Amino acid sequence: MTPLVLVLGTADWDAAIATNQHHVTAALARQWPVVFTEGAGTRTLRPSDARRVLRRLRVAPSLTGRRVPAGVEVVTPRLVPHHAPSTRALNGRLLHRQVRRWTTHPGPRLLWTYTPFTYGLEAHADRTVYHLVDLLHENPGVHRRRLLAAERALRADLALATSPAVEDHLRAQGFPVTRCLPNVCDVDLFTAARERGAPRGTTVVFAGTLAPHKVDLPLLLDLAVALRGVGRLRLAGPVTDPAHEVWRRLVRAGAEVVGTLPAPDLAAELATAAVGIVPYRVSPLTVGVSPLKTYEYLAAGLPVVSTPLPAIAPVPGAVFVRERGGFVAQVLDLLRADDPGRPARVARHARGQDWETRGRELRETARTLLTGP
């Protein structure tokens, strides 16, 4: 019998930025049918989540934007958006009912979960993979104690991490079999845009979610001021807190907030830029991140300047890890250096760090799990 895979996500299928769980779902679906269940949330409900909750209450939620690959069924769960003892029984019944296609599948069943709140679905699985792409318990608004307890209670045959810090956390939580697989990107898309040979300017670009708890906004402001008359700063991604006072100052300083770009448009944006930046705050949350934007920048031929995140290692001539005090100076040094051969040299470091290669690896991992003892 053909296996059926259930992916428990933490994001909507139509999330503004495609994440690890979207790519992994597509990769697994090239081999087996997959049911992708959109996230029911891991944090305390906030007023800004109202639109998402209302969408879930519609009789037939419509999917727009991101293409659903062949072999993937997207389930929008209707649950109480709160993980607590008071909601556990109800949410468990609701979730089990909504993924009944998987729980009653007569063949092998693989559970691939990005959330520890599984409501016992692993009891129906022949094998379970817990894929942790962030230190979820460090996110703002998350009930830390409940989430950590849910992780300790989860019985997984394999726990995957996207950074060494996340793998260390999984081991500390008691997962006996762990493996570290850093995030990768769609290298071919960014390489093709680079090879079209569009003229490069003096743009410094950040691509990713513009969240104040992750991104060092004062550092971006310092950079925007320093770039006056030298280059420009472009910020491509969703803004999670548009009321934050630093945004107005950034715009006045000359930064351009262009919003979320579709992947082909982002590739074109990077192909004309000069430097890619990872200006993350160093915090208990970000020590576990593995920014896939690093490989997007490299594939586009951009040298990368990052704050000192444990998952980003310096690479001579390509990746520059700088403390906050030297970050802006390093960006300016790269802008001043006229080196036409740099894009091709930098791009070599992205080879093999693509979802095509990672997809084959993940399918082989799943196959080994399903056929092993």
Side-chain angles (χ1 to χ4, degrees):
M1 290 290 293
T2 300
L4 181 61
V5 182
L6 174 63
V7 175
L8 290 183
T10 57
D12 290 346
W13 185 259
D14 282 346
I17 295 179
T19 62
N20 185 294
Q21 57 200 277
H22 299 95
H23 292 293
V24 169
T25 296
L28 295 174
R30 294 180 64 171
Q31 183 74 40
W32 307 286
V34 178
V35 176
F36 177 88
T37 303
E38 296 184 306
T42 55
R43 69 186 184 204
T44 304
L45 198 64
R46 301 184 303 190
S48 59
D49 296 319
R51 181 177 298 178
R52 188 181 185 200
V53 172
L54 289 173
R55 172 181 175 266
R56 295 290 176 89
L57 294 176
R58 288 161 54 184
V59 175
S62 60
L63 293 171
T64 59
R66 180 164 294 109
R67 184 182 68 86
V68 179
V72 174
E73 175 192 349
V74 177
V75 173
T76 301
R78 297 177 180 84
L79 306 177
V80 179
H82 184 55
H83 302 288
S86 60
T87 61
R88 185 175 296 130
L90 175 59
N91 276 345
R93 288 195 299 272
L94 291 172
L95 183 58
H96 282 240
R97 183 183 307 160
Q98 291 170 73
V99 297
R100 183 173 173 77
R101 177 193 168 197
W102 179 79
T103 59
T104 60
H105 179 67
R109 293 185 290 270
L110 174 63
L111 175 62
W112 197 292
T113 181
Y114 287 86
T115 171
F117 296 114
T118 61
Y119 291 95
L121 284 172
E122 62 269 29
H124 296 274
D126 292 280
R127 293 290 185 267
T128 297
V129 175
Y130 180 40
H131 201 155
L132 188 59
V133 300
D134 220 342
L135 294 173
L136 293 177
H137 62 285
E138 297 289 359
N139 275 295
V142 165
H143 196 296
R144 180 189 181 97
R145 180 177 56 79
R146 285 179 190 155
L147 194 144
L148 291 174
E151 284 186 340
R152 289 191 294 271
L154 179 59
R155 295 293 174 259
D157 299 278
L158 173 64
L160 295 178
T162 53
S163 73
V166 171
E167 186 174 24
D168 288 344
H169 167 75
L170 289 170
R171 288 171 177 160
Q173 285 289 83
F175 291 94
V177 183
T178 65
R179 187 175 174 192
C180 185
L181 294 175
N183 281 322
V184 291
C185 78
D186 187 350
V187 171
D188 289 346
L189 175 69
F190 294 91
T191 298
R194 172 178 59 83
E195 291 178 344
R196 284 194 283 270
R200 291 192 180 264
T202 55
T203 299
V204 178
V205 65
F206 170 77
T209 301
L210 293 154
H213 69 278
K214 276 190 174 182
V215 177
D216 190 335
L217 297 184
L219 178 59
L220 282 182
L221 182 58
D222 291 344
L223 179 58
V225 171
L227 285 174
R228 287 173 176 166
V230 178
R232 61 177 183 162
L233 177 61
R234 300 263 291 177
L235 307 174
V239 177
T240 64
D241 186 7
H244 198 290
E245 57 92 18
V246 173
W247 292 121
R248 292 189 294 274
R249 295 169 61 191
L250 268 169
V251 172
R252 287 198 298 269
E256 301 171 26
V257 183
V258 299
T260 306
L261 298 177
D265 294 347
L266 177 60
E269 175 81 26
L270 298 188
T272 61
V275 180
I277 58 173
V278 186
Y280 279 0
R281 299 172 54 193
V282 179
S283 69
L285 171 62
T286 60
V287 296
V289 301
S290 171
L292 62 83
K293 62 182 64 65
T294 305
Y295 288 115
E296 292 176 343
Y297 296 153
L298 293 174
L302 301 182
V304 180
V305 181
S306 174
T307 48
L309 302 177
I312 298 182
V315 178
V319 180
F320 303 84
V321 177
R322 296 290 182 264
E323 296 289 345
R324 200 176 186 281
F327 187 95
V328 172
Q330 181 62 69
V331 172
L332 295 177
D333 286 347
L334 288 168
L335 287 180
R336 295 187 188 106
D338 184 15
D339 186 355
R342 183 166 59 195
R345 291 198 307 273
V346 164
R348 289 199 294 266
H349 296 286
R351 290 176 184 169
Q353 307 301 323
D354 59 273
W355 281 111
E356 186 68 27
T357 302
R358 179 56 52 79
R360 290 194 298 269
E361 188 176 9
L362 292 174
R363 289 191 293 274
E364 183 57 33
T365 296
R367 190 179 299 110
T368 300
L369 282 171
L370 289 169
T371 59

